[in-house]
Amino acid sequence: MTGRQDDPDVSLLRPYLMTSGRTKPVDHTIEIEAQVMTSTLGANSVQNLTFERRDILSLCRRTMSVAEIAAMLKLHIGVARVLVADLAALGYVVVRRPEAETPQDLRMIERVIRGLEALR
């Protein structure tokens, strides 16, 4: 056997263990663009949590999105959503959702499109 990193069984089992086998978050409305920030309770409880949850609380001392959390911790986006929803349900993080109605500013949309095209 080569090593843990190369073992496909380990890489498939780890996310399953992190989420206790769940594929859906307790709050299914958490979007990947939702902004997450560690609460005071979370900051005070960080030492009592498991590795990934502790890492999320450490990262979210500065507000970041669920997608950014997944990228920074190299987690599948679904796993990040489950973990963030668990932490939010416990009061360890505060989740700010994007506004329901997005302004229809055509100039802003055009700037975003030009910026995305420039990334190619």
Side-chain angles (χ1 to χ4, degrees):
M1 189 160 147
T2 54
R4 279 185 51 155
Q5 298 292 347
D6 298 334
D7 188 348
D9 292 334
V10 171
S11 64
L12 292 175
L13 183 60
R14 187 168 177 263
Y16 179 85
L17 293 174
M18 282 189 281
T19 63
S20 300
R22 293 173 295 133
T23 58
K24 304 259 189 261
V26 291
D27 178 356
H28 61 76
T29 64
I30 293 182
E31 307 91 345
I32 63 172
E33 67 272 15
Q35 300 295 303
V36 183
M37 185 168 195
T38 302
S39 69
T40 304
L41 175 63
N44 293 333
S45 304
V46 72
Q47 70 278 1
N48 300 326
L49 299 174
T50 58
F51 303 107
E52 292 79 14
R53 288 167 176 82
R54 190 177 328 147
D55 292 343
I56 290 171
L57 292 182
S58 295
L59 279 176
C60 292
R61 288 184 183 139
R62 189 185 117 252
T63 304
M64 64 176 45
S65 71
V66 174
E68 290 173 305
I69 293 166
M72 296 288 285
L73 297 179
K74 296 180 173 57
L75 296 173
H76 184 278
I77 191 70
V79 172
R81 284 182 69 218
V82 169
L83 295 176
V84 167
D86 288 349
L87 290 169
L90 294 168
Y92 294 154
V93 295
V94 176
V95 178
R96 303 270 187 239
R97 291 172 166 81
E99 293 181 17
E101 293 186 35
T102 307
Q104 299 298 322
D105 181 358
L106 221 38
R107 289 181 301 206
M108 191 233 354
I109 294 170
E110 289 171 350
R111 285 194 310 269
V112 170
I113 290 171
R114 283 194 299 274
L116 292 171
E117 287 173 341
L119 293 174
R120 288 193 224 174

